[in-house]
Amino acid sequence: MFHRWLGLSLALLLVISSVTGVLLALKKDVDVIQPPTQKGISKNLTEWKSLDEISLLATKAFHDTYPEQKENSIDRLDVRPSKGIVKVLFKKGNWEVQIDGKSGEVKSIAKRYSDWIESLHDGSIISDGFKLISMNFLGIGLLFLIVTGVWLWYGPRRVRREKRK
């Protein structure tokens, strides 16, 4: 009985986690989920502009394109030397600006839905505390369901075998 109720209570978390997990697995193949990484003209970091210059170029391009986003600031820089690109990620709205590391040319300004999907996937969309509790509940709950499920399957077989002897 406990097995059934635990399974039902985990079902919603499992559906969310599995659907978002599939979407995250496809993020490099589906441009709507995550914009494709552009290519820069040089992989040699000594030829690149400074990260400060790249940050200023990305911020200007983003705010010129979306003036209503003036309050949106940089969250992090994702440097891709093998592609010659720096992805500049903004705090609000999952925006990304891709800048050529050498020339400073803006290669792309687009939304990144993969970050939002990831926060939904791991529960951090609600809070870090919820993420910790829900992911542990999901993991321990699934382990418990596996053990009790195997027992519910194996137990009756064992009893029937004992009766036959």
Side-chain angles (χ1 to χ4, degrees), residues 98-153:
Q98 293 187 38
I99 302 282
D100 183 295
K102 181 177 181 180
S103 70
E105 177 189 353
V106 175
K107 295 288 195 169
S108 164
I109 299 176
K111 277 221 178 225
R112 274 173 77 100
Y113 293 101
S114 59
D115 293 344
W116 181 82
I117 293 168
E118 187 175 338
S119 67
L120 183 60
H121 177 74
D122 67 11
S124 63
I125 195 165
I126 295 173
S127 73
D128 285 337
F130 180 79
K131 173 185 173 178
L132 180 66
I133 292 167
S134 66
M135 290 299 107
N136 281 307
F137 177 68
L138 187 59
I140 293 167
L142 284 174
L143 186 60
F144 181 80
L145 286 176
I146 290 168
V147 170
T148 58
V150 168
W151 179 252
L152 289 171
W153 170 80

Side-chain angles (χ1 to χ4, degrees), residues 61-131:
F62 178 64
H63 290 153
D64 287 350
T65 307
Y66 298 101
E68 70 279 4
Q69 295 280 334
K70 285 283 185 206
E71 300 300 315
N72 206 349
S73 59
I74 293 174
D75 180 41
R76 65 188 184 273
L77 303 177
D78 181 1
V79 179
R80 304 285 177 101
S82 65
K83 300 276 188 175
I85 285 289
V86 178
K87 294 182 179 188
V88 181
L89 302 149
F90 288 81
K91 289 181 181 176
K92 298 179 198 163
N94 300 309
W95 288 100
E96 165 190 283
V97 177
Q98 293 187 38
I99 302 282
D100 183 295
K102 181 177 181 180
S103 70
E105 177 189 353
V106 175
K107 295 288 195 169
S108 164
I109 299 176
K111 277 221 178 225
R112 274 173 77 100
Y113 293 101
S114 59
D115 293 344
W116 181 82
I117 293 168
E118 187 175 338
S119 67
L120 183 60
H121 177 74
D122 67 11
S124 63
I125 195 165
I126 295 173
S127 73
D128 285 337
F130 180 79
K131 173 185 173 178

